[in-house]
Amino acid sequence: MSEADPAIKGAGASEWTLGPIFDADAHIDPPHDMWKSYLPSHLKDRAPYIEHAEEGDFIVFEGNRRPFMMINNQAGREGKNFKMQGRLADQRKVWEPAQRLADMDADGMDAALLFGGGPLGTTDNELYMASYEAYQNWVLDFCSAAPDRLFPVGYVPMRDIDETCEHVARLAKKGFRAINLPAFPQNKNAWETSSGIKNLKEGQVSALTGDPKGALQYSDPAFDKLWKTVCDHNVIITFHLGARVPRFGQKEYFLADMPMSKLAMAEPIGIFIYNAIFDRFPDLRIGSMESGVGWFAWFAEYNDRTWEKQRFWTECPIKNPPSYYMDTNVFGSFIQDRTGILTRNLPGGKNIMWSSDYPHSETTFPKSREIILRDFAGVPDDEIKDIINNNARNLLGLS
């Protein structure tokens, strides 16, 4: 039993009349012994492992020994009881299907889209690339425990367009409905990035961010091959934050960094809109995950007004106002965002999806239904049902 379990008992809303909930952004971090099982045979002996010591548990990888960090496993703890470091035994075993499904039942979640977990933070290209596929295979096996409730997101590298197209085609055939790209393309050495974070491995940052200053950019027409592959295989693209990564573990920066990590996702969205990617590929759908959505309607209005004046000298190629693409091609997920809910009927604000962020430190678990009732006060039931269930299912092609 997790030490967080006592807080969960009786936490859910006593009455619920709003139907099923599809958690649009939940997380799944694999156990560290997974890597040895799923990496290619010639790389298994290079997998990370856990070392138990008197002063705590440590992750040992590539000659480094670091404390067991717990920022991503706080489900069931109140903020005052958060632990930044701990032992493996302190963690909620979210990587065990039975535990995961039991927690979803306790919190009233009918289904979830699962993010996170790879690749390894190595500077070895072969191991780094192999760890993408290792995670893809593991998360698919994990979700096979309840394929009608657990939906995996396929994390793919983005250092080479043809290579990424191969990943997309392979994962689509395996049943993945969502492919996660870094906010910007990666470098040839995929783990390298100019967006380093002190307490994170460079390769882990690159998986989310890529390199905003790299030679590859999504605005390049050469990426049309990738967008066509995505559309042909009827999958969606997600960006799970990444345009700016918070400085985890650095108290002096963390709180100020957190909102900027959400708002910075305006840049990748703008790149897709203003480079006419959606005009060339009208069936392409992207999800800005965990970015919050309270800024979506403002973003749409600001861009419409700016585009009206600036589109001539910039020779902007888009056929419609920017808000059109926000309402047609762009979706976003939020955790607690009353502002986003209240602006749901404004241009740019309609494709929004509720999420729990389980088991991360911002999670609504185990009081998700209670928080939904609070944040959606005054909203008609049919509109609530769209935001907590139908929109995510529509995005994934499940409805």
Side-chain angles (χ1 to χ4, degrees):
M1 175 183 289
S2 166
E3 62 183 8
D5 278 346
I8 294 168
K9 295 178 181 177
S14 56
E15 293 185 12
W16 184 258
T17 61
L18 293 169
I21 302 173
F22 194 112
D23 188 344
D25 173 32
H27 292 268
I28 180 66
D29 292 325
H32 284 83
D33 58 6
M34 174 278 284
W35 299 106
K36 192 163 188 177
S37 299
Y38 281 82
L39 283 170
S41 56
H42 70 289
L43 296 174
K44 290 183 185 295
D45 62 346
R46 298 180 59 189
Y49 63 90
I50 301 294
E51 180 182 287
H52 304 283
E54 253 185 60
E55 65 272 27
D57 290 348
F58 295 84
I59 300 170
V60 182
F61 181 51
E62 294 189 326
N64 295 311
R65 181 176 180 264
R66 63 177 177 87
F68 207 88
M69 305 301 292
M70 295 190 60
I71 186 66
N72 286 339
N73 193 294
Q74 303 290 357
R77 290 189 184 88
E78 295 182 5
K80 64 184 179 181
N81 297 322
F82 278 5
K83 301 175 79 169
M84 293 301 103
Q85 297 182 10
R87 291 187 177 275
L88 180 60
D90 295 332
Q91 288 217 323
R92 192 160 197 81
K93 295 181 180 179
V94 301
W95 54 84
E96 293 183 357
Q99 176 74 70
R100 185 54 174 257
L101 293 167
D103 280 356
M104 289 173 66
D105 290 341
D107 203 27
M109 300 295 106
D110 293 85
L113 187 62
L114 301 181
F115 287 85
L120 288 171
T122 179
T123 58
D124 180 277
N125 262 330
E126 182 186 15
L127 180 57
Y128 188 70
M129 300 305 289
S131 69
Y132 273 99
E133 191 164 346
Y135 174 75
Q136 295 163 1
N137 292 333
W138 176 82
V139 75
L140 190 63
D141 286 348
F142 175 88
C143 290
S144 69
D148 58 333
R149 299 186 68 187
L150 303 173
F151 295 88
V153 175
Y155 278 62
V156 298
M158 189 56 263
R159 63 175 183 174
D160 177 87
I161 295 169
D162 289 337
E163 178 182 65
T164 303
C165 287
E166 291 171 4
H167 276 277
V168 170
R170 177 175 53 80
L171 292 179
K173 289 175 184 176
K174 286 177 174 284
F176 285 82
R177 293 175 177 269
I179 304 297
N180 197 76
L181 294 177
F184 305 95
Q186 294 167 309
N187 294 306
K188 287 186 178 179
N189 287 330
W191 55 268
E192 288 184 341
T193 180
S194 61
S195 300
I197 300 294
K198 180 180 178 181
N199 290 331
L200 293 176
K201 295 284 189 180
E202 199 169 350
Q204 294 171 315
V205 176
S206 177
L208 294 173
T209 302
D211 195 332
K213 300 176 182 177
L216 274 181
Q217 292 294 326
Y218 291 130
S219 56
D220 189 331
F223 274 89
D224 281 4
K225 180 177 181 179
L226 176 57
W227 315 140
K228 183 178 186 303
T229 301
V230 167
C231 291
D232 287 350
H233 287 86
N234 197 29
V235 294
I236 66 160
I237 292 170
T238 61
F239 298 101
H240 194 282
L241 299 178
R244 179 171 174 178
V245 178
R247 285 166 279 191
F248 291 103
Q250 293 182 263
K251 298 176 183 179
E252 67 273 30
Y253 301 121
F254 183 74
L255 290 174
D257 283 1
M258 284 297 283
M260 291 309 301
S261 73
K262 318 289 187 181
L263 300 173
M265 293 311 297
E267 184 175 0
I269 293 172
I271 289 171
F272 272 71
I273 291 174
Y274 284 119
N275 287 282
I277 294 171
F278 295 129
D279 282 321
R280 297 195 300 278
F281 299 94
D283 293 331
L284 184 64
R285 294 157 296 160
I286 67 173
S288 178
M289 313 308 291
E290 203 175 318
S291 64
V293 296
W295 55 273
F296 269 31
W298 165 83
F299 177 76
E301 181 182 12
Y302 176 82
N303 278 286
D304 281 359
R305 300 291 86 84
T306 302
W307 172 77
E308 287 168 359
K309 289 189 173 184
Q310 311 286 357
R311 61 190 169 122
F312 302 103
W313 77 267
T314 59
E315 300 180 4
C316 182
I318 63 176
K319 299 175 182 177
N320 301 286
S323 61
Y324 171 85
Y325 306 101
M326 290 294 293
D327 284 337
T328 306
N329 304 92
V330 180
F331 288 68
S333 77
F334 67 94
I335 306 165
Q336 300 184 60
D337 193 339
R338 175 79 172 162
T339 302
I341 293 166
L342 294 177
T343 56
R344 67 194 180 280
N345 293 319
L346 293 177
K350 74 174 187 177
N351 294 327
I352 62 175
M353 307 173 293
W354 180 88
S355 67
S356 78
D357 198 40
Y358 172 101
H360 287 182
S361 60
E362 290 190 286
T363 186
T364 55
F365 175 89
K367 299 181 179 181
S368 293
R369 286 183 172 185
E370 180 182 319
I371 289 170
I372 287 171
L373 293 174
R374 180 200 70 192
D375 289 352
F376 283 81
V379 177
D381 285 4
D382 60 333
E383 295 184 42
I384 299 175
K385 291 175 181 179
D386 283 343
I387 297 170
I388 67 172
N389 183 62
N390 298 335
N391 290 349
R393 289 187 176 276
N394 289 340
L395 174 62
L396 294 170
L398 293 170
S399 56

